[in-house]
Amino acid sequence: MKTRLLGRTGFAVSEIGLGCWQLGGEFGPVDDGEASSILANAARLGINFWDTADVYGNGLSEHRIGTFFGKPDDLVVATKVGRSAALYPDKYTLAGVRESLEESARRLGVETIDLAQLHCVPRAVLEEGEIFGWMDAIRDEGLIRNWGASVETLAEAELCLARDGLATLQIIFNIFRQDAARSLLHRAKAEEVGIIVRLPLASGLLSGKFTARTEFAPTDHRSFNRDGEAFSVGETFGGVPFEKGVELADALEAYVPADMAMSQFALRWILDHDAVSSVIAGVSRPEQVGINAEASGLPPLSQQTHDDLARFYADRVRPHIRGEV
């Protein structure tokens, strides 16, 4: 597993990280044994960047990470703050943010959190700006080593990039959501802000395994937020209507090399952007970890392929994205 520098944090993190939303059981049941197998596979394969949040399974994801005994020595754990009922959408205070992070540290079994990220807090809160000063203060107190932000839109990313204390940005970026490549990635790289990519497979569309008849568990956001009923529509299938996404994924098969799974092709496309520090790929089964990890060792895609995919996005995908990118 190759590593990259996570912005100005100084951490060398695996190119493929582990997204731990699934460990909260919100994509369907994941029992303790299966969760441990997922974490063990990640550790065995050199995946040393694990991303979680306090609200994933109401703390279950953090707890499972904190009590897992096979953690690698160089493990970097990033968690998030700001979407719990105690804070979201308009109850943010310094004391409340600090208390939430103290609870995360207890569940993770650490005194200092490696990276704490604002978790898709409302744009109005970002525009007001006081929350950034709170994160600086909590970092200076020693509860967290670094802070970053996970955002829903590029406009929110730009607001965060204007803050000197920001160490990382977590964004939606994939073959079905390419807009960040225009300028945001270049600016982040110039300012030594680490880019963490989430939803790299567009909620699984870019695995190439779905059909228009695919069904998801009622507790899965791909069921209850398919059209943005619960939160930002862009968080599910990148904002593309599911049936259209399946059609587009089928068309994308023509660009995938014969010796590469579509999911690996999608991850490799992201890794070819050198501003990206790590791609957090979530899994529901232990064997998926290895498939994702292999993308780090694949050769870069050709410039012709990148050009073809840029046109595919502009002509066939971008017109169908709902909500702000």
Side-chain angles (χ1 to χ4, degrees):
M1 174 60 64
K2 298 177 182 177
T3 62
R4 298 185 182 186
L5 191 65
L6 183 58
R8 65 184 66 160
T9 68
F11 293 129
V13 296
S14 52
E15 289 187 336
I16 300 297
L18 182 67
C20 297
W21 192 358
Q22 282 90 336
L23 298 189
E26 292 162 320
F27 286 71
V30 177
D31 63 30
D32 288 341
E34 196 160 39
S36 292
S37 294
I38 288 170
L39 295 175
N41 265 10
R44 178 179 60 83
L45 293 167
I47 296 176
N48 76 333
F49 183 62
W50 299 356
D51 177 88
T52 185
D54 56 350
V55 293
Y56 293 170
N58 194 30
L60 178 60
S61 176
E62 289 181 327
H63 172 74
R64 283 173 160 170
I65 292 170
T67 56
F68 177 68
F69 292 103
K71 293 188 284 286
D73 293 337
D74 59 349
L75 179 65
V76 176
V77 175
T79 193
K80 307 185 194 76
V81 60
R83 294 290 289 199
S84 67
L87 299 172
Y88 183 84
D90 57 3
K91 301 184 287 292
Y92 297 95
T93 64
L94 170 58
V97 172
R98 182 191 290 114
E99 181 179 1
S100 181
L101 288 169
E102 287 172 344
E103 292 171 355
S104 288
R106 283 194 290 272
R107 285 190 291 268
L108 290 169
V110 299
E111 293 185 1
T112 303
I113 296 169
D114 295 325
L115 174 64
Q117 304 160 98
L118 297 174
H119 194 180
C120 299
V121 303
R123 185 179 304 186
V125 175
L126 300 178
E127 290 174 337
E128 193 280 331
E130 192 174 11
I131 198 168
F132 298 118
W134 300 342
M135 297 302 284
D136 284 335
I138 294 169
R139 179 201 59 206
D140 293 345
E141 292 168 3
L143 178 58
I144 62 177
R145 291 187 175 86
N146 307 276
W147 66 267
S150 178
V151 297
E152 294 174 340
T153 68
L154 295 180
E156 292 166 352
E158 294 287 352
L159 284 171
C160 295
L161 268 177
R163 300 293 173 162
D164 291 339
L166 184 81
T168 63
L169 261 178
Q170 187 172 142
I171 62 171
I172 302 171
F173 184 56
N174 57 59
I175 293 174
F176 282 2
R177 195 68 174 270
Q178 299 186 24
D179 298 72
R182 294 179 182 175
S183 63
L184 179 72
L185 295 186
H186 303 294
R187 182 180 170 195
K189 182 180 179 181
E191 298 187 15
E192 297 183 296
V193 171
I195 292 290
I196 302 164
V197 171
R198 62 194 178 93
L199 297 177
L201 302 183
S203 304
L205 279 176
L206 292 170
S207 71
K209 296 180 179 179
F210 295 164
T211 71
R213 296 182 297 277
T214 299
E215 296 184 358
F216 304 97
T219 56
D220 190 321
H221 74 103
R222 294 172 294 185
S223 176
F224 67 78
N225 194 57
R226 183 170 293 201
D227 296 310
E229 300 95 329
F231 41 81
S232 170
V233 68
E235 297 287 340
T236 304
F237 306 124
V240 178
F242 177 68
E243 291 76 10
K244 174 57 68 171
V246 171
E247 175 189 320
L248 292 167
D250 288 344
L252 192 65
E253 289 278 6
Y255 300 94
V256 181
D259 60 348
M260 196 179 296
M262 182 183 283
S263 61
Q264 295 172 331
F265 177 73
L267 295 171
R268 185 65 254 174
W269 180 87
I270 298 169
L271 290 174
D272 285 351
H273 296 81
D274 63 3
V276 171
S277 296
S278 188
V279 183
I280 51 172
V283 301
S284 298
R285 300 188 306 277
E287 61 270 20
Q288 292 173 317
V289 180
I291 296 171
N292 292 339
E294 289 176 3
S296 177
L298 295 174
L301 305 178
S302 70
Q303 186 58 52
Q304 182 64 57
T305 298
H306 277 278
D307 292 344
D308 289 343
L309 293 177
R311 284 190 294 270
F312 181 90
Y313 175 71
D315 296 342
R316 303 187 62 177
V317 181
R318 187 65 174 80
H320 297 286
I321 294 177
R322 300 164 296 175
E324 185 180 354
V325 297

